[in-house]
Amino acid sequence: MAEVDMKKSQGGTVDRGLYLLFTLVVVGLGWIIAAVNTGISYVALGTDLIPIVTGLLGCAVFALALRLLHCAWWLAFLSFLPAVLVLVGSVQYAPESTLDERGVRETVRISADSGSTHRFTLTGRSGELKQTLDYDGDHPQWKVGDRVEVISDPKGVVPLEAASDVDPDGQFAALVTGVAGWTGMALLAGRRGFVRRRAGRRPAFEDFD
């Protein structure tokens, strides 16, 4: 009985409505971060580094907000799993949807490979293309002599891509899936955080429970 009384005395008074509002704010924050970073990707078309940096910052902000809501760290760390989908989707959706909407499709032949950097020179009906088909990796799926369908931006803003790699619907699905994951985590964090605070459990930052 004494132990029960002690636990009650350690508890805190937490307004349920206010905590629900806090939870919804964190949910909205996740949606805003995803939407804003997608918008930044549109504004910075052709420069992936900018939305990558802002996306990483946004993911870190959401993780910290989740930590404050949950009053523990483990959900904040788990939030980086859907954050990968949010980051990839928000960065890649804009250029791929732009290519899909206004890009020019053309079947070309690979006439040269720069070597270790794999910058493939392409030859189309009107001769050699100004843009190359770039592959960042050690084992490209193409080789000299292959024919491949590519999509190029007539404005030259978005880099040329192989048509098979342009999938805006897939990027949008990844973005929505990541945000849905954030939403579920925020709702769980709100419920658990409310219980923890009502019980007076306010761990220090080094508490990972």
Side-chain angles (χ1 to χ4, degrees), residues 67 71-74 77 196 202-209:
R67 158 62 179 83
C71 202
W73 272 109
W74 64 271
F77 287 140
R196 291 174 69 91
R202 294 178 173 82
F205 275 85
E206 64 271 9
D207 188 340
F208 286 80
D209 182 22

Side-chain angles (χ1 to χ4, degrees), residues 37 40 47-58 87 91-92:
N37 205 57
I40 291 173
T47 309
D48 289 345
L49 181 60
I50 294 175
I52 288 175
V53 171
T54 56
L56 288 173
L57 291 174
L87 183 62
V91 171
Q92 292 298 323

Side-chain angles (χ1 to χ4, degrees), residues 46-111:
T47 309
D48 289 345
L49 181 60
I50 294 175
I52 288 175
V53 171
T54 56
L56 288 173
L57 291 174
C59 292
V61 168
F62 183 82
L64 289 175
L66 204 64
R67 158 62 179 83
L68 293 175
L69 177 65
H70 186 202
C71 202
W73 272 109
W74 64 271
L75 262 180
F77 287 140
L78 285 181
S79 72
F80 284 104
L81 297 177
V84 173
L85 296 176
V86 172
L87 183 62
V88 172
S90 64
V91 171
Q92 292 298 323
Y93 176 71
E96 292 193 13
S97 63
T98 299
L99 280 178
D100 190 56
E101 291 171 6
R102 74 184 187 202
V104 177
R105 292 176 179 264
E106 180 181 5
T107 299
V108 298
R109 182 177 61 84
I110 298 177
S111 56

